[in-house]
């Protein structure tokens, strides 16, 4: 200490922001990011066009994609982007909801801080409010069974509504539900689990979106290796080989000395005979399709084509493993290990005309499937892929948890009203924080009304009145402006999506509101960028 002044030792180029300024900086960042994606919320939300420095264009209303493409420099803002990416990775949907909720929670925290409510009290109130919200969500949840196809279709439909591919969402929703049901496996406890890696999404530019299909098998980005091989094979018996079908180098350094033309001829014949033996072993196994992880020599290609066998070389390891699961076959390391038990089986295999794709489909009870999407442009295909990914994940969530909740701002309105009632039973300053937590949920129905072109105050008041009368599933019909039963309207989503969004948003807000000293090693003052 020197003349009563504290000495603070920091590294060079460290900007320090303290007290309310640090809190205000985080609040501004959260509000700015929430505002950036808020207009995309709901079926009538708008799209964003993002152009990178290299000229790549992305058009989407998917919250995770928008935030991923944005260049966020503020440390608090980066945390919110991570929340959205985590939400997308964990449940596959609800990223925009989580981001908008963070912004609303921070806005309510700003109002409390201005009233000199301590950040610890705000965080405590938010924690109590979140626990109450999760308990209320469990009460509002509706059960869905593995065989409730209609509800699963509605869940997939809700996830895709509002995207640029609504013209085909009915067909794609059916494909998604069939894909998830196909790969779901039952546990000893009677529940179901789904490995998302068992569903692959492949894209093909050129055809209409209406030509999307579910392949009960595998799609490989390769053509047959030899033009004289058949283009299509029926009753496919697939050999899965991890070894190269060609003469390989020895493991040790060696030399062969040839001194005459006869020796050269004998050497060539022996090499050709070795390659013929490889082909004969495949033929003897009964296989009529070969997927090889390595290369296939010209001679082997010729012998396989002579016996009407369709072959693909240089298949990557992931595709090989996926094919083994889809075709119920076994990857072998030696051709002599091939037999009826190791071969995969499918109804047909062959090339897709005018493409580089090989499709093996019609597998009996496949444990892995492929969704093949088609579209007239890559931009459209990318958005279709994002919609299918979201729909696949939410159907998976619903099957695994067996519960869903209704949408249309219904859940948020019910949570707001019931948490406010709960706050009155707590008392003290923490009551103010719980009430602020409850108020933050109003942002969802208000945004839905705003993005649909309706008066936000009128619609929010109408929803509160209907919920006060006991209609706990009432939500906003964004097309007519009426407050209707969302359960009957078919606007539903998995419980896990809503639960994760509330958890992520609340925990992030609690973390940011408690920051009162921010030291950033960079030039320039930290602020929303």
């Amino acid at each position: 200490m020197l003349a009563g002044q504290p000495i603070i030792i920091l590294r060079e180029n460290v900007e320090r922001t303290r007290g309310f300024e640090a809190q205000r900086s985080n609040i501004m960042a959260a509000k700015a990011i929430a505002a950036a994606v808020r207009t995309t919320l709901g079926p009538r939300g708008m799209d964003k066009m993002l152009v990178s420095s290299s000229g790549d264009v992305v058009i989407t209303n998917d919250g995770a994609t928008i935030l991923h493409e944005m260049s966020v420099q503020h440390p608090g803002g980066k945390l919110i982007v991570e929340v959205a990416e985590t939400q997308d990775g964990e449940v596959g949907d609800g990223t925009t909801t989580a981001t908008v909720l963070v912004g609303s929670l921070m806005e309510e925290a700003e109002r409390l801080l201005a009233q000199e409510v301590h950040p610890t009290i705000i965080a405590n109130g938010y924690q109590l409010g979140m626990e109450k919200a999760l308990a209320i969500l469990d009460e509002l949840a509706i059960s869905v069974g593995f065989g409730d196809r209609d509800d699963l279709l509605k869940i997939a439909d809700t996830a895709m509504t509002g995207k640029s591919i609504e013209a085909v969402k009915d067909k794609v929703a059916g494909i998604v539900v069939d894909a998830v049901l196909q790969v779901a496996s039952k546990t000893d406890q009677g529940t179901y689990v789904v490995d998302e890696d068992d569903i692959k999404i492949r894209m093909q530019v050129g055809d209409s979106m209406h030509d999307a299909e579910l392949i009960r098998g595998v799609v490989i980005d390769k053509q047959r290796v030899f033009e004289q091989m058949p283009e299509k094979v029926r009753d496919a018996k697939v050999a899965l080989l991890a070894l190269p079908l060609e003469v390989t180098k020895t493991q040790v350094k060696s030399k062969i000395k040839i001194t005459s033309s006869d020796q050269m001829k004998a050497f060539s014949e022996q090499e050709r005979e070795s390659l013929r033996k490889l082909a004969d072993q495949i033929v003897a196994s009964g296989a009529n399709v070969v997927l090889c992880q390595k290369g296939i020599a010209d001679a082997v290609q010729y012998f396989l084509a002579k016996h009407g066998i369709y072959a693909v070389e240089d298949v990557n390891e992931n595709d090989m493993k996926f094919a083994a699961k889809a075709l119920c076959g076994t990857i072998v390391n030696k051709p002599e290990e091939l037999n009826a038990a190791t071969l995969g089986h499918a109804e047909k295999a062959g090339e897709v005309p005018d493409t580089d794709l090989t499709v093996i489909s019609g597998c009996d009870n496949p444990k892995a499937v492929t969704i093949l999407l088609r579209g007239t442009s890559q931009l459209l295909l990318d958005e279709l892929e994002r919609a299918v990914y979201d729909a696949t994940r939410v159907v998976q969530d619903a099957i695994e948890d067996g519960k869903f909740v209704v949408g249309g701002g219904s859940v948020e309105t019910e949570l707001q009203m019931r948490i406010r009632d709960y706050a009155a039973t707590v008392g003290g300053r923490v009551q103010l924080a719980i009430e602020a937590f409850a108020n933050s949920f109003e942002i969802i129905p208000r945004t839905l009304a705003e993005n649909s072109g309706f008066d936000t105050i009128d619609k929010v008041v109408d929803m509160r009145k209907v919920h006060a009368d006991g209609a706990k599933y009432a939500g906003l019909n964004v097309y007519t402006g009426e407050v209707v039963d969302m359960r009957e309207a078919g606007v539903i989503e998995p419980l896990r999506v809503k639960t994760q969004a509330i958890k992520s948003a609340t925990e992030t807000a609690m973390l940011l509101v408690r920051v009162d000293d921010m030291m950033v090693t960079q030039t320039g003052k930290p602020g929303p960028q």
Side-chain angles (χ1 to χ4, degrees):
M1 301 286 280
L2 195 61
Q5 296 298 318
I7 299 174
I8 301 174
I9 301 175
L10 296 174
R11 291 185 299 174
E12 292 183 5
N13 300 324
V14 173
E15 290 284 343
R16 186 175 188 183
T17 310
R18 304 180 64 185
F20 182 68
E21 283 301 313
Q23 294 162 340
R24 194 170 72 89
S25 177
N26 285 325
I27 290 169
M28 289 174 63
K31 289 165 65 175
I33 292 176
V37 298
R38 185 182 166 197
T39 56
T40 68
L41 184 68
R44 303 189 76 174
M46 305 301 288
D47 291 350
K48 302 288 185 185
M49 177 182 285
L50 307 170
V51 184
S52 68
S53 57
S54 61
D56 294 332
V57 179
V58 175
I59 301 176
T60 183
N61 68 357
D62 182 73
T65 304
I66 294 169
L67 293 176
H68 179 74
E69 295 292 333
M70 288 170 60
S71 177
V72 179
Q73 302 298 325
H74 190 280
K78 287 182 178 180
L79 180 60
I80 298 172
V81 173
E82 288 179 12
V83 167
E85 291 177 346
T86 301
Q87 174 82 12
D88 189 53
E90 288 294 320
V91 296
D93 200 13
T95 53
T96 305
T97 299
T99 306
V100 171
L101 272 178
V102 172
S104 183
L105 286 166
M106 293 303 289
E107 188 174 358
E108 291 293 326
E110 182 180 28
R111 182 176 57 80
L112 292 177
L113 290 170
Q115 297 174 11
E116 298 185 352
V117 178
H118 197 275
T120 303
I121 295 176
I122 297 175
N124 186 31
Y126 280 10
Q127 177 67 33
L128 293 174
M130 181 184 73
E131 292 171 0
K132 184 64 176 178
L134 298 180
I136 295 171
L137 276 177
D138 282 334
E139 294 177 23
L140 296 175
I142 305 169
S143 297
V144 58
F146 183 77
D148 295 339
R149 181 179 171 81
D150 288 344
D151 283 337
L152 294 176
L153 285 171
K154 291 173 183 176
I155 289 171
D157 186 276
T158 301
M160 292 187 289
T161 299
K163 307 221 183 269
S164 305
I165 49 85
E166 290 209 31
V168 295
K169 71 174 183 176
D170 291 338
K171 178 177 181 178
V172 173
I175 290 174
V176 166
V177 171
D178 289 340
V180 177
L181 292 177
Q182 180 63 55
V183 302
S185 56
K186 195 172 185 178
T187 65
D188 295 336
Q189 292 75 30
T191 58
Y192 289 87
V193 293
V194 180
D195 186 347
E196 62 179 291
D197 293 332
D198 290 342
I199 302 175
K200 274 194 181 297
I201 301 175
R202 295 284 192 181
M203 298 184 291
Q204 178 190 345
V205 179
D207 294 324
S208 167
M209 288 193 301
H210 294 273
D211 295 326
E213 61 180 316
L214 174 62
I215 305 294
R216 296 181 185 275
V218 62
V219 177
I220 299 171
D221 296 326
K222 299 281 184 181
Q223 292 179 310
R224 67 192 193 279
V225 294
F226 193 40
E227 289 187 357
Q228 293 186 15
M229 290 178 175
E231 293 184 8
K232 295 187 182 296
V233 174
R234 290 284 179 181
D235 189 21
K237 299 178 180 65
V238 185
L240 303 163
L241 297 168
L243 79 161
L245 295 177
E246 54 192 2
V247 177
T248 57
K249 294 181 180 180
T250 58
Q251 296 296 319
V252 295
K253 290 184 178 181
S254 58
K255 292 182 180 181
I256 298 174
K257 189 174 182 180
I258 297 175
T259 58
S260 67
S261 60
D262 290 340
Q263 288 179 335
M264 185 64 191
K265 182 178 179 182
F267 179 80
S268 299
E269 288 179 354
Q270 181 61 40
E271 184 181 84
R272 188 175 179 83
E273 187 60 32
S274 298
L275 295 174
R276 180 194 291 274
K277 185 179 178 181
L278 290 175
D280 289 343
Q281 289 171 334
I282 294 172
V283 173
S285 70
N288 54 13
V289 176
V290 174
L291 298 183
C292 184
Q293 193 172 329
K294 307 293 184 179
I296 302 177
D298 292 346
V300 178
Q301 295 177 21
Y302 170 77
F303 291 132
L304 293 178
K306 191 174 179 181
H307 289 87
I309 295 176
Y310 184 105
V312 179
E313 65 178 352
D314 296 328
V315 180
N316 69 54
E317 185 178 357
N318 289 335
D319 283 344
M320 288 291 290
K321 291 179 179 178
F322 188 85
K325 201 166 189 179
L327 306 173
C328 300
T330 304
I331 301 174
V332 300
N333 291 312
K334 299 178 181 178
E336 52 266 28
E337 295 176 359
L338 290 173
N339 54 51
T342 60
L343 295 179
H345 296 271
E347 184 181 313
K348 58 184 179 180
E351 286 182 357
V352 178
D354 302 321
T355 70
D356 294 333
L357 301 180
T358 290
V359 176
I360 305 174
S361 61
C363 306
D364 295 330
N365 193 28
K367 297 305 178 185
V369 296
T370 305
I371 298 176
L372 182 58
L373 304 177
R374 295 182 170 94
T376 54
S377 71
Q378 191 61 47
L379 284 175
L380 197 61
L381 266 180
D382 289 341
E383 185 69 351
L384 180 57
E385 181 190 22
R386 286 188 284 267
V388 170
Y389 172 79
D390 289 352
T392 302
R393 291 298 305 278
V394 297
V395 173
Q396 170 188 329
D397 296 341
I399 288 176
E400 290 182 342
D401 297 343
K403 291 182 178 180
F404 66 84
V405 292
V406 299
S410 171
V411 166
E412 289 77 12
T413 302
E414 188 73 11
L415 287 174
Q416 180 189 13
M417 297 178 66
R418 291 175 64 171
I419 294 175
R420 284 184 66 88
D421 293 341
Y422 163 70
T425 67
V426 176
R429 287 199 168 198
V430 74
Q431 175 182 343
L432 298 175
I434 298 175
E435 289 177 349
F437 179 82
N439 292 337
S440 67
F441 285 106
E442 187 179 294
I443 191 67
I444 302 299
R446 183 148 47 94
T447 301
L448 288 174
E450 183 179 328
N451 290 348
S452 304
F454 302 116
D455 186 279
T456 57
I457 296 177
D458 290 345
K459 299 309 172 187
V460 168
V461 170
D462 289 346
M463 289 181 66
R464 284 184 189 172
K465 181 181 182 304
V466 174
H467 277 261
D469 293 337
K472 61 182 180 180
Y473 296 140
L476 178 65
N477 184 322
V478 297
Y479 301 105
T480 65
E482 299 176 354
V483 178
V484 299
D485 190 311
M486 290 287 107
R487 177 72 176 90
E488 294 180 1
V491 182
I492 56 180
E493 59 185 333
L495 173 63
R496 188 190 301 183
V497 171
K498 194 67 70 177
T499 299
Q500 184 66 33
I502 292 174
K503 281 183 179 179
S504 300
T506 306
E507 290 169 358
T508 303
M510 289 167 58
L511 183 62
L512 291 176
V513 80
R514 291 170 62 93
V515 174
D516 71 342
D517 199 342
M518 188 160 54
M519 291 170 280
V520 183
T521 308
Q522 62 180 20
T523 57
K525 223 175 181 182
Q529 293 186 30

